[in-house]
Amino acid sequence: MKHLAPAYIYTPHGLQANKVVSISDEGYISAITERTENVTITDLLPDVALLPGFVNTHSHAFQRTLRGQTQHARSAHDTFWTWRHAMYEAAQCLTPDTLYQNTLQTYREMLAVGYCSVGEFHYIHHQPDGHPYANANIMSEAVLQAGLDAGIRVVLLLTAYAQGNFHQPPDRMQRRFCDASLDAYLARVDALRSKGIHLGVAPHSVRAVPAGWLRAIGEYSRSYHLPFHIHADEQLAEIEQCQAAEGCTPIELLERCGVLGPQTTIIHATHANLEEIALLAQSRASVCVCPTTEGDLGDGIAPYNELIAAHVPLTIGSDSNTRLDPIEELRWAEYSARMRYQSRRILVADASASPGASLLTIGTQAGANALGLQTGSIVPGMAADFVAIDLQAPSLAGWTPDNFLDTLFFGASSQVITQTWVQGKSIQ
Ligand SMILES: [Zn+2]
């Protein structure tokens, strides 16, 4: 048993002084008590506020290698699609060993900035020509090993990929993402499920799998209580192609296939319309926004006002990992929303609230729910995942217990995070 005594702890009751957090040997929060002389403190943390560790709901770890590599001109008019070509080139080169090395480095960076859990949307499965490796899950195992060696909690969102676009075969660069059949994909999911790891299913997008796969994978996720994640509505071209091929928008197609539910997370939803948002609200699905990546790729700005009004839970993801900083990621969700609507205080729980507490919920609890994890808030029973905020950091000067989270999210970066704990274990 460990007993941490920081200057402040952020619990659902707000920022609290003179508390002790007790952690079981298994790495769960066992109690939060008043600091008295009867408790033997194992870790005294003066000048520190302990917050729940951040949850990164959506990552492609290997894309970290593209940082700084895709800002030069690739064509007269660069878009998401020209960036995607560069990403495919990077994906072609990966081996199990280089994927492990890239992912390990990315996860170490995530931990240093305060992410304790990551949903890894993993889609590079097979050899570059599309043939499975002798061990069909060797690439997934490389990702999981990198997570173990770094010390971050990984939820492997095993991606299903079958086609290049609606009713089109994969092109040369997409072959290694694709399974030959739905059964081959589900056999790989079964094999990973038997290992008892944190797992979810993730059809890549409505353009990358046929409707029959969506239905079957949705059923599978409900049978085994697995999170179901999918990219949708990131680009207008996808919506136009979906309308042409299926006669409906991507989220309408997901609804028709019966895959929307509380276990579902839509990645991006940048161009979702009001009908699609109503479908998400009815089914209690979540949306993961990735503001730094969406900004980098020129995707657009999610319909935050409409999503908040419909009470659709939001989470954040670092996605392409062009930038890793949960504080900045959350600030950009709020800032881009302000620019879209020419208004302030968009991501708030009610009209009189300031955004700090909402941003923390989006970055922690909501992400944990979307990944099926027992973490995201400092209450007994949750995993002991924390970040230590340095209260002496110059960027936080002037904070008070009432404005602490607003000062953090609007005035600081992850440089104020001095220590991270995952499942009770300190990662330096
Ligand atoms: Zn993504």
Side-chain angles (χ1 to χ4, degrees):
M1 187 79 91
K2 273 189 288 196
H3 304 281
L4 273 53
Y8 290 90
I9 298 171
Y10 191 84
T11 75
H13 305 294
L15 203 61
Q16 298 192 299
N18 296 316
K19 299 281 185 186
V20 174
V21 186
S22 299
I23 304 171
S24 70
D25 293 341
E26 293 75 34
Y28 291 93
I29 300 166
S30 57
I32 298 162
T33 49
E34 291 296 323
R35 195 189 301 189
T36 66
E37 286 169 6
N38 299 334
V39 179
T40 309
I41 291 166
T42 50
D43 297 82
L44 187 63
L45 304 164
D47 297 325
V48 155
L50 213 60
L51 263 54
F54 290 99
V55 177
N56 186 355
T57 309
H58 184 76
S59 155
H60 310 285
F62 83 94
Q63 292 181 12
R64 166 67 180 82
T65 58
L66 294 172
R67 189 181 294 177
Q69 309 288 323
T70 63
Q71 305 299 334
H72 63 278
R74 293 185 66 90
S75 70
H77 178 57
D78 279 318
T79 64
F80 169 89
W81 305 101
T82 54
W83 170 86
R84 190 178 77 155
H85 193 82
M87 181 271 285
Y88 281 0
E89 286 171 347
Q92 280 299 296
C93 303
L94 289 169
T95 66
D97 187 51
T98 58
L99 177 63
Y100 166 82
Q101 295 295 343
N102 292 344
T103 306
L104 179 66
Q105 187 185 1
T106 307
Y107 286 170
R108 285 181 172 153
E109 188 179 343
M110 282 186 198
L111 284 162
V113 301
Y115 286 122
C116 295
S117 306
V118 55
E120 181 65 28
F121 200 106
H122 170 64
Y123 58 92
I124 300 154
H125 304 306
H126 304 303
Q127 299 180 63
D129 66 1
H131 285 95
Y133 289 97
N135 169 2
N137 275 330
I138 193 169
M139 296 295 259
S140 295
E141 288 172 10
V143 168
L144 293 167
Q145 191 61 48
L148 280 175
D149 292 348
I152 198 168
R153 182 183 299 102
V154 175
V155 179
L156 188 78
L157 300 164
L158 195 79
T159 302
Y161 217 112
Q163 57 193 17
N165 206 337
F166 294 94
H167 313 301
Q168 285 175 25
D171 70 23
R172 185 180 59 81
M173 308 271 259
Q174 295 166 322
R175 286 187 303 212
R176 70 183 313 189
F177 313 156
C178 295
D179 283 297
S181 67
L182 177 63
D183 285 347
Y185 167 72
L186 291 177
R188 293 197 303 112
V189 183
D190 281 338
L192 289 165
R193 201 163 46 77
S194 69
K195 291 177 186 285
I197 60 165
H198 296 291
L199 186 66
V201 288
H204 178 274
S205 53
V206 291
R207 61 179 192 275
V209 294
W213 284 44
L214 287 173
R215 280 191 197 91
I217 296 169
E219 266 171 41
Y220 188 100
S221 78
R222 288 190 296 278
S223 298
Y224 295 105
H225 307 289
L226 298 177
F228 179 105
H229 286 219
I230 185 166
H231 295 109
D233 286 353
E234 181 178 10
Q235 288 285 319
L236 289 170
E238 178 191 62
I239 298 172
E240 289 158 13
Q241 289 160 3
C242 190
Q243 288 279 15
E246 306 289 343
C248 62
T249 62
I251 292 171
E252 284 169 345
L253 180 60
L254 296 176
E255 205 269 334
R256 283 187 198 175
C257 291
V259 304
L260 295 181
Q263 79 285 359
T264 309
T265 297
I266 304 296
I267 314 302
H268 302 300
T270 312
H271 301 285
N273 65 27
L274 287 175
E275 289 73 28
E276 290 180 293
I277 292 169
L279 292 173
L280 298 178
Q282 280 161 22
S283 63
R284 296 191 291 129
S286 298
V287 164
C288 176
V289 293
C290 310
T292 58
T293 294
E294 288 153 6
D296 181 41
L297 301 184
D299 290 339
I301 301 171
Y304 288 100
N305 254 349
E306 292 77 5
L307 289 164
I308 294 285
H311 303 290
V312 174
L314 298 180
T315 74
I316 51 156
S318 66
D319 196 0
S320 67
N321 299 308
T322 190
R323 176 73 173 131
L324 277 167
D325 183 332
I327 293 171
E328 184 176 331
E329 201 74 55
L330 289 158
R331 177 164 57 240
W332 271 102
E334 172 68 21
Y335 273 179
S336 56
R338 291 182 185 191
M339 288 188 272
R340 174 171 173 148
Y341 299 103
Q342 295 105 58
S343 177
R344 302 183 74 225
R345 296 191 305 102
I346 309 288
L347 301 180
V348 290
D350 61 67
S352 63
S354 63
S358 295
L359 293 179
L360 185 67
T361 301
I362 292 168
T364 56
Q365 253 177 290
N369 291 341
L371 291 173
L373 295 174
Q374 198 182 343
T375 183
S377 56
I378 303 185
V379 294
M382 290 286 174
D385 295 352
F386 311 126
V387 291
I389 307 290
D390 174 13
L391 295 173
Q392 295 294 330
S395 58
L396 296 177
W399 73 272
T400 68
D402 285 340
N403 70 17
F404 174 68
L405 292 178
D406 290 331
T407 309
L408 177 71
F409 286 116
F410 294 95
S413 73
S414 64
Q415 286 181 337
V416 301
I417 294 174
T418 53
Q419 199 173 349
T420 304
W421 289 259
V422 180
Q423 201 80 37
K425 195 174 161 205
S426 171
I427 314 277
Q428 296 291 356

